[in-house]
Each structure stands twice: as structure tokens, then as C-alpha cells.
Amino acid sequence: GKSYTRNYMPSWTLPNGELSVPQIALAGAFSGIPQAAVIGPSERIKCLMQVDKVKYKSFMDCTQQVYKEGGIRSIYKGFGATLARDLPGNLTYFASYELTRRTITRARDLEKPDMMTNLFAGGMAGVWNWIIVLPIDTIKSRVQTSSKGFLEVFHHLVRTEGYSALYHGLSPALLRAFPANAACFAGVETVRKFMNPEY
């Protein structure tokens, strides 16, 4: 994603050679495509096992049963919903991280972001990501465990449980998201600086 935006959108690149926030957002969105392709099937199996703990004995057993029922198409059921979650989710995740990080760095008149800046920006990236993707993730999980499509699940959920059901579990998700993603980005930036002291 980063290579694409740098090569095909050079006018967006900053004078110092850094990618702009829109470029990073677009690169993040692109990263959602292979991510959905890789984790979509495992999330389908995980959701099925959570719904029916008696039918499936193990992850492998569930995978084999699902494959026998409908082949690779059954394994990838809900891929469109996973993609609908990961494209805007990753766009928000990486864009909010960079925007928060650069804004705080300028506000504090720092030459480079320090550890506290990276921690806070990482935490906020996780928070914004879940605020954006939780409704889609809720629908995705139900799509992967039913015979209904995305819109059908959405309308049924809203009609029977209300719009608030789309954000069920938001509080614990946010409580986990901030420290987990703060640590994640702090680790990434620490290793990056170790590998490139001039960064």
C-alpha cells in the first residue's frame, strides 16, 4: 500500500519525503484486502465454534466439516463483510495514528515524536478503529454463522434489537483497545528506531 501511494500519488507526498496522512490512510485501506483474505476463514471458524460448542470438537474438526458442507466457498463465507470491516477499519487505524502523532509532535514543539506521543497516538488509533468497525464486525459475525446476507442481517438486527445492538460490547472493546494498541505502536516505533537510529 505504501509503495503504491508513493509511486502513483507523488503529489501527495510531503516535501521531506514522508507520506502524507491521506497517503497513509489509503495505504492502510489497501492493507485490509490481504488481511481479510488471511483472517476471514479463521474468523468464520471461530464464530461457528462459539455459536455451537457441541457440534464442533476442535478448530480443525470445524474446518473440515465446513469444507465438506460447501468447499472453499463455505470457508470464505462472509468475506465481503470482513472486507467491509477491514478496509475502513485499517484506513481509520493508520490515519488516526499518524494524524494524532504528528499533531501532538507539532503542538509540543518536538523535533521527533517521543515515547509518550507514540503511546497516546497508538491508543487512540485502537479506540477510533473500534468505534468505526464494531457495527460492521457485529454484522459480519452474524453473517458468518447464518444463511443470511449482510443487508438481511443488518435489517433483522435493527428491527429486533435496535440500533444500539450494533455497538453492543463497545465499552470493554475500548478499554482493551487503548492499552493494547498503545503498546503495539510503542513497540513498533522502538524497534524501528533501533534499526534506524536516524528515524
Side-chain angles (χ1 to χ4, degrees):
K2 284 188 175 182
S3 298
Y4 176 86
T5 55
R6 191 184 296 276
N7 293 333
Y8 293 97
M9 299 173 182
S11 62
W12 290 13
T13 305
L14 300 177
N16 61 3
E18 287 187 10
L19 295 179
S20 64
V21 172
Q23 283 177 308
I24 289 172
L26 191 58
F30 273 114
S31 74
I33 300 173
Q35 176 176 306
V38 171
I39 70 173
S42 63
E43 290 198 353
R44 155 99 158 128
I45 301 303
K46 180 195 73 173
C47 289
L48 286 172
M49 291 181 69
Q50 289 174 336
V51 169
D52 194 336
K53 298 179 181 179
V54 176
K55 181 179 179 180
Y56 306 112
K57 299 176 182 178
S58 65
F59 187 90
M60 188 57 66
D61 176 58
C62 183
T63 303
Q64 290 174 343
Q65 289 193 49
V66 171
Y67 184 78
K68 287 179 181 178
E69 290 170 4
I72 195 69
R73 186 172 183 177
S74 181
I75 293 288
Y76 270 93
K77 178 175 172 54
F79 175 72
T82 305
L83 201 60
R85 177 197 66 183
D86 290 347
L87 287 177
N90 285 17
L91 183 152
T92 303
Y93 188 61
F94 290 105
S96 60
Y97 173 70
E98 282 297 331
L99 184 60
T100 303
R101 185 169 175 261
R102 294 178 186 187
T103 300
I104 293 176
T105 300
R106 285 195 299 268
R108 296 176 61 197
D109 199 24
L110 299 174
E111 184 178 344
K112 296 179 180 179
D114 60 8
M115 179 59 72
M116 291 305 298
T117 299
N118 292 334
L119 281 167
F120 183 76
M124 291 308 298
V127 167
W128 281 112
N129 174 66
W130 273 109
I131 289 174
I132 295 297
V133 307
L134 186 58
I136 307 173
D137 187 65
T138 299
I139 297 170
K140 176 203 71 73
S141 297
R142 300 198 183 200
V143 167
Q144 290 182 319
T145 56
S146 72
S147 59
K148 300 175 181 178
F150 190 91
L151 290 178
E152 192 176 357
V153 168
F154 169 73
H155 290 308
H156 177 75
L157 179 64
V158 171
R159 186 172 63 253
T160 57
E161 301 179 41
Y163 284 100
S164 61
L166 295 171
Y167 276 99
H168 181 70
L170 178 62
S171 295
L174 297 185
L175 287 173
R176 173 187 173 276
F178 190 93
N181 289 281
C184 174
F185 273 109
V188 168
E189 297 296 348
T190 299
V191 173
R192 182 184 288 183
K193 190 172 183 179
F194 176 78
M195 297 177 69
N196 181 12
E198 295 182 1
Y199 173 75

